[in-house]
Amino acid sequence: MSNGQCMTCSQAYSNCQTCNSSTCITCVSNLYFLDTINCSACTTKYTSACLYCTPTGCTQCINTQYYLLNGTCNLCNTKYPNCQLCDNLTCSQCTSTLYYLENNACNICTTKFSNCLYCTASACTQCVNTSYVIVSGNCQLCSAKYNNCTLCTSSLCTSCQSGYYLDAGACPICTNKFSNCLTCDINSCATCATGYYVNNTGCNTCSSKYSNCLTCTTSACLTCAVGYFVENGTCNICSSRFNFCT
């Protein structure tokens, strides 16, 4: 009562449900606790993670990212490393799929699945890079699924080993398409075997371009047959310069 008029408890004392003339007796909900004569929000005493409380401790945290211990809300990962959701007895979800939940602990995927980035407790779901592909829940080198392949997806090869070219998700050997070719793509040869040079899309013998030439580039002979020497990118007979030289 104030000035001879009746007041509600919440008017006299903040967030108060029942009271007398000198103090609040109970708060409107357990979102508040009785602090001396008034009701104060749980968060003012037990951090922003506390939802419900009593004067002696927090009784419920705001969500399952926290667990309750001795009247205090603590983040799950302080009790269970890499855990996002929990109670005070168990972890129920890890912080990300970089980890899998097993035996109440969050473990990094690579401890169970080699070369795995993301996983569940039963299988890898993504490998560390495209050098690997998932086969039966595990990461294997692309070459294990696609012959002579270095990079791939789950359905096809995207890059081949040297000496092979990419064709419709597979890796045929260069010599199947270009005779005497060492490295190539689907359209042309890039490097030829010793004694050959790249001509248009294929390989021709050095001797077909430079007489008596053993090894060459597209623009010059590099080594000549016995009895000849290289000069200005071509082969000249030794006897043309040195008398009695064979």
Side-chain angles (χ1 to χ4, degrees):
M1 183 176 290
S2 176
N3 297 323
Q5 295 182 344
C6 291
M7 300 175 61
T8 64
C9 289
S10 60
Q11 289 174 322
Y13 308 103
S14 297
N15 306 302
C16 184
Q17 186 174 39
T18 63
C19 64
N20 58 35
S21 60
S22 60
T23 186
C24 180
I25 298 171
T26 60
C27 300
V28 292
S29 77
N30 51 6
L31 289 168
Y32 304 90
F33 69 98
L34 191 59
D35 185 12
T36 312
I37 63 171
N38 290 295
C39 292
S40 301
C42 294
T43 53
T44 62
K45 189 173 185 179
Y46 306 109
T47 77
S48 59
C50 183
L51 182 62
Y52 300 139
C53 66
T54 68
T56 57
C58 187
T59 57
Q60 183 176 327
C61 302
I62 54 171
N63 57 42
T64 54
Q65 290 184 15
Y66 299 85
Y67 69 96
L68 195 61
L69 181 65
N70 299 326
T72 303
C73 291
N74 305 275
L75 278 169
C76 291
N77 63 16
T78 62
K79 186 173 186 178
Y80 311 103
N82 307 306
C83 180
Q84 185 172 28
L85 305 179
C86 68
D87 57 30
N88 62 344
L89 296 176
T90 59
C91 177
S92 57
Q93 182 178 311
C94 300
T95 53
S96 77
T97 52
L98 288 167
Y99 306 90
Y100 66 95
L101 184 62
E102 191 171 70
N103 298 325
N104 204 33
C106 291
N107 307 285
I108 195 163
C109 292
T110 50
T111 61
K112 191 171 188 177
F113 309 102
S114 296
N115 305 300
C116 180
L117 183 61
Y118 301 132
C119 67
T120 65
S122 58
C124 184
T125 56
Q126 184 177 325
C127 301
V128 289
N129 57 48
T130 54
S131 294
Y132 299 88
V133 62
I134 295 174
V135 179
S136 301
N138 292 284
C139 291
Q140 296 186 15
L141 284 170
C142 291
S143 56
K145 187 172 184 178
Y146 310 104
N147 290 336
N148 309 302
C149 181
T150 55
L151 302 177
C152 64
T153 67
S154 59
S155 58
L156 51 81
C157 182
T158 57
S159 180
C160 300
Q161 295 175 5
S162 180
Y164 299 83
Y165 65 96
L166 190 63
D167 186 12
C171 296
I173 193 167
C174 289
T175 52
N176 283 356
K177 191 166 189 177
F178 309 104
S179 296
N180 304 298
C181 182
L182 297 179
T183 62
C184 66
D185 59 28
I186 195 169
N187 297 311
S188 62
C189 181
T191 58
C192 298
T194 300
Y196 296 84
Y197 70 98
V198 176
N199 182 31
N200 296 324
T201 60
C203 296
N204 288 354
T205 62
C206 290
S207 58
S208 68
K209 186 170 186 177
Y210 309 103
S211 296
N212 305 299
C213 182
L214 297 179
T215 63
C216 64
T217 66
T218 55
S219 58
C221 182
L222 301 178
T223 59
C224 299
V226 174
Y228 296 84
F229 66 96
V230 176
E231 185 176 48
N232 297 324
T234 61
C235 294
N236 296 312
I237 193 167
C238 292
S239 59
S240 66
R241 176 166 293 186
F242 309 102
N243 292 333
F244 311 111
C245 180
T246 59

